[in-house]
Amino acid sequence: MANRDRNASVPLDAASKAIIEQLQEDGRRPYAAIGKAVGLSEAAVRQRVQKLLDQGVMQIVAVTDPLTVGFTRQAMVGITVEGDVEPVADALAALDEVDYVVCTAGSFDLLAELVCEDDEHLLEMINKRIRALPGVRSTESFVYLKLRKQTYTWGTR
């Protein structure tokens, strides 16, 4: 779902929304169980899920705890840009260590979340990779000390 246009919404009917909500609760829930919960056949659920995936409406992924897989330092980096933010946003999105990039209004033009192995890795990313990007005027880092909540169950509207 990279680089998506928030104005380009895909119309969803009640059944598709219900399927999404089922998968937000448990991404491994069997299609037969989802079908039973939403009143569709297993085949119909499978087709709808594939269509939602193809349209970029959702992804089904394994969400890991970075600490348990060797990434001990996470940070949100606020970035101020001179000129057009799009090329900087695209360059940030291309970095493996960056898992989240948003264009913002306010004190920063962009926010990027970094997942790094350690403080040295984070310093290298900020100092040598992000600040070196053409158009980057300044950065401010917000190092994560403890994750209190992370959820993907906000449902649908």
Side-chain angles (χ1 to χ4, degrees), residues 23 29-36 41-42 45-46 49 53 60:
L23 289 168
R29 185 166 288 155
Y31 291 151
I34 294 171
K36 190 173 187 177
S41 70
E42 179 179 351
V45 171
R46 185 180 322 284
V49 167
L53 293 169
I60 300 173

Side-chain angles (χ1 to χ4, degrees), residues 34-69:
I34 294 171
K36 190 173 187 177
V38 303
L40 294 173
S41 70
E42 179 179 351
V45 171
R46 185 180 322 284
Q47 286 179 326
R48 283 176 178 259
V49 167
Q50 191 58 54
K51 185 176 179 183
L52 293 166
L53 293 169
D54 292 345
Q55 292 175 326
V57 172
M58 66 177 190
Q59 295 175 319
I60 300 173
V61 299
V63 178
T64 61
D65 177 351
L67 289 174
T68 64
V69 292

Side-chain angles (χ1 to χ4, degrees), residues 70-86:
F71 297 100
T72 61
R73 181 54 69 216
Q74 289 180 268
M76 185 66 68
V77 179
I79 302 156
T80 306
V81 174
E82 278 186 31
D84 188 1
V85 300
E86 296 290 334

Side-chain angles (χ1 to χ4, degrees), residues 99-116:
D99 67 353
Y100 180 81
V101 178
V102 291
C103 299
T104 64
S107 300
F108 302 106
D109 298 308
L110 299 166
L111 291 174
E113 184 178 64
L114 279 73
V115 178
C116 298

Side-chain angles (χ1 to χ4, degrees), residues 18-29:
I19 290 168
I20 291 168
E21 290 171 359
Q22 289 284 311
L23 289 168
Q24 284 177 326
E25 289 175 15
D26 179 359
R28 298 184 314 158
R29 185 166 288 155

